[in-house]
Amino acid sequence: MVEITADDTIRRVSLVDNVTVGLRNALLNGEIRPGDRIRVPELEKRFGVSHIPIREALRRLEAEGLVVTNPQRAAVAAGVDLEDLTALYDLRRMVECDVIHRSVAAMTDEEVGTVRAALAALREVESRVDSDEFWQRHREFHWALLEPGATAWVKRVVDQTGIASERYVRIFVGETAADAMRDHCELLEACESRDAERAADVLLRHLDLAEQVVRRHFPSTQEES
């Protein structure tokens, strides 16, 4: 009988985590386009691993809505359409605007400091909007705004809808509007003054802007493909 040690388990989990991150980024940045078939043998070569961690990573990404597996077990990148975009942003507005209201009203000085640091980190990579690092820091900033008023269930919803909508922005827009960074600064100001109403209003405007920008780019991009 082969003994499985704790180190073996840690290495396996870490391997799956690394493959998941790499594959997720390829889906988010459009390297793997919506509808593309995801070929496991190609991923084995790319990541230098067996099919086992790749299959586990695909299962995770399917749960996030980025991958679809058909009855023949072939995995493809999830499709995109305007109805899905509308549903995503409707849900984000309903959840995040309510959560940020609760969050800002109850923020401690330390939590405001976390938001401030997250925005500073985002500003450092502001010119590298096409990088995975920019979007990772963008996610961290938005979560810092919501975390004080969130629950574990809220985090699950925010993570999934945030990543799915990020994919639309990265594939179809490829840049952020100048107004978006101004919104980020206003959100920090609202946190500093504990102005929950202002925070909810700015976040609503921010989400509306993101959806509108994707909509403006979506048709022309689709026609080119």
Side-chain angles (χ1 to χ4, degrees), residues 192-210:
E192 290 172 334
S193 61
R194 308 304 196 275
D195 191 337
E197 291 289 341
R198 182 186 179 193
D201 288 344
V202 174
L203 182 57
L204 177 61
R205 184 182 71 205
H206 186 70
L207 294 173
D208 285 347
L209 172 66

Side-chain angles (χ1 to χ4, degrees), residues 107-181:
M107 269 189 183
T108 64
D109 290 343
E110 182 179 358
E111 287 163 342
V112 173
T114 299
V115 175
R116 188 180 298 113
L119 180 57
L122 179 59
R123 295 299 296 266
E124 288 178 359
V125 294
E126 184 177 358
S127 62
R128 293 159 49 199
V129 71
D130 59 343
S131 70
D132 294 330
E133 184 179 12
F134 172 90
W135 289 100
Q136 176 62 34
R137 294 189 185 187
H138 185 266
R139 279 178 237 135
E140 290 168 355
F141 171 69
H142 274 268
W143 179 241
L145 293 167
L146 301 175
E147 186 173 15
T151 64
W153 278 107
V154 166
K155 180 163 175 51
R156 292 187 188 101
V157 173
V158 167
D159 283 348
Q160 185 162 355
T161 56
I163 285 174
S165 54
E166 176 187 315
R167 183 175 180 231
Y168 277 92
V169 175
R170 295 181 70 174
I171 291 175
F172 294 108
V173 182
E175 60 186 21
T176 57
D179 290 344
M181 194 56 76

